[in-house]
Amino acid sequence: MAVSPRMRNALTLFSSVDDVLCHRVRLVLAAKGVTYDLIPVDPQNPPEDLIDLNPFHSVPTLVERDLVLYAASVVGEYLDERYPHPPLMPVDPLSRARLRLAMLRIEHEWVPHVQAIQLGNKQQADAGRKRLKELLTAAVPVFKASKFYLNHEMSLADCAMAPIIWRLPSLDIPLPKDGKAIEDYGNRIFRNPGFVRSLTEKEKTLRDLPA
């Protein structure tokens, strides 16, 4: 596997410039204050380095010396353990398991509908938009229950959820009538300098940052 000397000496992230899973990993890196090299990737035309490193040619892909990781969930948990401060998972096993399950549901129940709206035909986009509205409405009590998503402090689950909430205006999805808790949740995270650092130039155009 041929990897450039520069890549061997730096933490490197192959990332799309507008993708909720890539944004999830960039948000973890920003929350940790980790310096890294970002390699923008067009998923339809992956660079040769990525093809050599990752058998699925997928993003996000993280490279650290001889280690190559892919899948946002795997990369996120590795970064939380590799750079333990600030911690983005609770200490107790029960809370950790609950957040892992929440992240799994976000990845399997929310993300595909975002991708359908962004990449699908009109029928797929309309179906995705309808389902995301239903998921948001059902999740209102969860956003009301605590300061962050299912937790009193920011966690990896917020790194998975916040990129979706950030994209709602660009996806043409209004908040539910009783969705002020979702708006407050988003603004709480979006005002954080780490969130701003996680955004690509393209993602900065998707909505206005809260004042």
Side-chain angles (χ1 to χ4, degrees):
M1 179 184 301
V3 179
S4 70
R6 180 184 177 191
M7 199 178 298
R8 284 192 178 278
N9 294 321
L11 191 69
T12 303
L13 180 69
F14 291 86
S15 169
S16 171
V17 296
D18 180 13
D19 173 81
V20 286
L21 295 176
C22 293
H23 192 179
R24 171 180 175 177
V25 171
R26 284 187 266 109
L27 187 49
V28 175
L29 287 161
K32 298 288 184 178
V34 177
T35 300
Y36 64 99
D37 284 346
L38 177 67
I39 299 182
V41 172
D42 175 0
Q44 303 304 315
N45 186 28
E48 289 186 13
D49 280 344
L50 181 59
I51 292 172
D52 290 340
L53 291 163
N54 178 344
F56 302 106
H57 311 163
S58 61
V59 287
T61 292
L62 185 79
V63 181
E64 185 172 26
R65 297 185 181 276
D66 293 328
L67 177 68
V68 179
L69 296 175
Y70 34 88
S73 57
V74 175
V75 176
E77 292 227 16
Y78 168 77
L79 290 170
D80 193 43
E81 294 175 358
R82 173 74 172 80
Y83 304 95
H85 302 290
L88 293 178
M89 285 291 276
V91 174
D92 65 289
L94 181 61
S95 297
R96 292 170 74 90
R98 183 180 60 160
L99 287 183
R100 285 191 177 105
L101 187 59
M103 289 185 284
L104 188 68
R105 293 191 64 176
I106 291 169
E107 194 164 334
H108 288 275
E109 294 183 6
W110 294 66
V111 171
H113 302 302
V114 174
Q115 293 171 336
I117 297 168
Q118 291 179 320
L119 304 173
N121 58 35
K122 185 179 184 305
Q123 182 178 1
Q124 292 167 330
D126 288 344
R129 201 168 281 113
K130 178 176 182 295
R131 182 58 183 143
L132 266 183
K133 290 177 183 177
E134 294 170 350
L135 288 169
L136 279 170
T137 300
V140 167
V142 176
F143 286 99
K144 287 180 176 179
S146 58
K147 186 176 180 181
F148 293 100
Y149 193 70
L150 293 172
N151 205 40
H152 294 296
E153 296 180 351
M154 185 171 172
S155 75
L156 291 179
D158 296 292
C159 295
M161 177 58 76
I164 297 174
I165 304 301
W166 175 256
R167 284 164 172 76
L168 292 180
S170 68
L171 298 174
D172 194 24
I173 298 178
L175 291 176
K177 290 182 179 179
D178 56 348
K180 188 176 186 304
I182 301 175
E183 181 181 4
D184 291 345
Y185 164 85
N187 289 340
R188 193 176 300 122
I189 292 182
F190 302 156
R191 289 192 182 102
N192 189 301
F195 185 84
V196 179
R197 289 197 304 272
S198 76
L199 296 168
T200 64
E201 290 303 314
K202 182 173 181 179
E203 287 166 344
K204 289 177 182 177
T205 68
L206 299 181
R207 70 184 293 165
D208 293 329
L209 283 165

